[in-house]
Amino acid sequence: MGLELFSMQNQLLAQIRTNAETMRETNKRLLVGLGVMLIYLFIGAMVFCRIESPLERIEMETYLEYRAKWTERLVGLGIREADIDQLFVDIRDASLNGIWMEKNVTNDPNWTLGSAFFFAGTLITTVGYGRVSPRTAHGKLFTIVYCMVGIPLSLALLSALVTRMKQPSVWLRSKLNAKLGHLFGESQLQLFHLGAVFGLLLVFAFIIPSWFFTNIEEDWSFLDAFYYCFVSLTTIGLGDYQPGDGPDVEFRGFYKFVATIYLLFGLCCMMLFLSSLYDLPQFNISKFFLVRDGAYFDEDRGLAGDLSGQQYTKFTPETPTAIQNGY
């Protein structure tokens, strides 16, 4: 999603008429914006510290008690403390590498066909969880080459798919115009359309998949599943949750395959929502840091227009071939 968002922003920036003078006039705004972003980062850091630090302290105290108990037992059996330290290090490394054994049952290998298919999907969609990664030199080299080809290809294909998905979106907008066009202006109808697209995205890309994940993954609450969907479809990809990692999941390979298809479908839905969002000039925040108030590029006249005095006209349904979006 990072690359898709970057591509859409570039399309928007290309419509903004800028020059050295207008950018100099907005340099102060840019500095203020950077200051606000830093303050926002500090606020986020303080909130996360306040929320997460207490649990981390509890977990650390629990670990130290657990470690001290087993160290005392093992030292009593004549095992050196240095060997005990190495034992804990080896267990940690194995766990981080996705290798684990519980009740004499080893977890499934990371590099089965289904798991590798899921990993390849997270690469070309730029989700990149990081839970599983190549450890050999050849694997790392292949990852670089694979992504150089796969990421532009997936971006092009998903963008083309989203353009086709805009056909029902345009139909929905035309229906809103037919029912409400005599009561509301173009800007209000665009907001209604955006709200409808957001509602469909919420239901079909987040709520319904979260319900399925909750029923399949025994350790996931609904919030955990919704959190996984969000960090995946925004391509943040924290990797703390990943479908199919539980020891009791059946048909793991097929499950991983379906999860990969969900990622592709969900990313298309997110791109459609962002495309609808950026159709509204009010949400193009970039222009605030590039041009004077209300100045915006008008493609028909080739001049800077004034959004503050823009008059909205009745919406005319578009055809799929006339769709303009960020791709």
Side-chain angles (χ1 to χ4, degrees):
M1 186 59 62
L3 291 179
E4 291 88 339
L5 185 59
F6 179 75
S7 175
M8 296 171 72
Q9 283 286 356
N10 273 346
Q11 292 290 336
L12 289 174
L13 294 177
Q15 299 175 2
I16 300 177
R17 188 182 183 185
T18 61
N19 52 47
E21 179 183 356
T22 58
M23 284 193 288
R24 280 197 300 270
E25 292 174 348
T26 55
N27 281 341
K28 291 183 179 179
R29 293 184 180 180
L30 180 59
L31 291 175
V32 171
L34 292 173
V36 170
M37 184 176 69
L38 289 175
I39 294 173
Y40 189 73
L41 290 173
F42 276 113
I43 292 175
M46 290 187 293
V47 171
F48 280 122
C49 287
R50 187 67 179 270
I51 294 175
E52 298 296 330
S53 289
L55 178 59
E56 183 184 38
R57 285 195 296 268
I58 294 173
E59 291 176 339
M60 177 60 72
E61 293 172 358
T62 303
Y63 169 76
L64 292 176
E65 292 177 1
Y66 168 82
R67 174 70 182 268
K69 180 182 67 175
W70 279 102
T71 299
E72 181 180 357
R73 289 184 179 181
L74 294 174
V75 168
L77 296 175
I79 301 175
R80 296 184 308 163
E81 192 163 346
D83 294 333
I84 299 173
D85 292 336
Q86 187 61 46
L87 172 64
F88 278 90
V89 169
D90 293 341
I91 294 174
R92 181 200 63 190
D93 292 343
S95 178
L96 291 176
N97 293 332
I99 299 172
W100 188 253
M101 177 179 288
E102 185 175 352
K103 297 179 181 178
N104 293 325
V105 178
T106 307
N107 65 326
D108 289 346
N110 293 320
W111 297 109
T112 61
L113 182 60
S115 297
F117 183 86
F118 181 76
F119 173 73
T122 63
L123 287 181
I124 65 173
T125 57
T126 69
V127 176
Y129 293 117
R131 290 281 294 273
V132 176
S133 58
R135 302 183 55 78
T136 64
H138 292 89
K140 294 174 182 178
L141 179 61
F142 178 73
T143 298
I144 296 172
V145 176
Y146 188 77
C147 290
M148 289 178 63
V149 176
I151 291 176
L153 177 62
S154 64
L155 176 60
L157 293 175
L158 291 180
S159 300
L161 182 59
V162 171
T163 303
R164 287 160 175 77
M165 290 174 64
K166 288 208 75 173
Q167 183 174 1
S169 176
V170 169
W171 175 84
L172 174 61
R173 190 174 172 189
S174 65
K175 289 299 182 181
L176 288 174
N177 177 74
K179 298 293 185 181
L180 304 174
H182 63 289
L183 298 175
F184 300 97
E186 172 67 4
S187 59
Q188 288 80 17
L189 290 176
Q190 286 180 319
L191 289 174
F192 293 154
H193 174 256
L194 179 64
V197 173
F198 174 76
L200 292 173
L201 170 73
L202 186 65
V203 171
F204 290 101
F206 288 95
I207 294 178
I208 294 178
S210 297
W211 181 82
F212 277 106
F213 283 128
T214 303
N215 285 274
I216 296 174
E217 303 285 346
E218 295 183 354
D219 297 335
W220 291 17
S221 66
F222 184 83
L223 178 60
D224 295 332
F226 194 95
Y227 167 82
Y228 162 76
C229 294
F230 178 80
V231 298
S232 297
L233 298 188
T234 54
T235 66
I236 297 172
L238 295 178
D240 46 350
Y241 289 91
Q242 190 167 309
D245 281 356
D248 300 325
V249 175
E250 298 180 356
F251 307 105
R252 188 184 306 272
F254 178 74
Y255 181 38
K256 291 279 190 179
F257 172 80
V258 173
T260 306
I261 301 302
Y262 160 71
L263 288 178
L264 296 174
F265 166 77
L267 285 175
C268 288
C269 293
M270 285 292 293
M271 292 168 68
L272 176 62
F273 169 71
L274 291 176
S275 178
S276 301
L277 177 68
Y278 289 144
D279 281 343
L280 293 170
Q282 305 94 294
F283 288 97
N284 184 8
I285 305 175
S286 300
K287 70 179 186 299
F288 179 76
F289 301 105
L290 291 173
V291 295
R292 295 187 299 272
D293 292 342
Y296 194 74
F297 184 76
D298 188 337
E299 292 183 348
D300 295 330
R301 296 181 300 165
L303 301 172
D306 188 355
L307 289 178
S308 59
Q310 182 176 355
Q311 298 295 323
Y312 293 101
T313 57
K314 188 175 180 64
F315 169 71
T316 302
E318 305 174 51
T319 61
T321 57
I323 294 172
Q324 298 294 326
N325 57 40
Y327 309 103

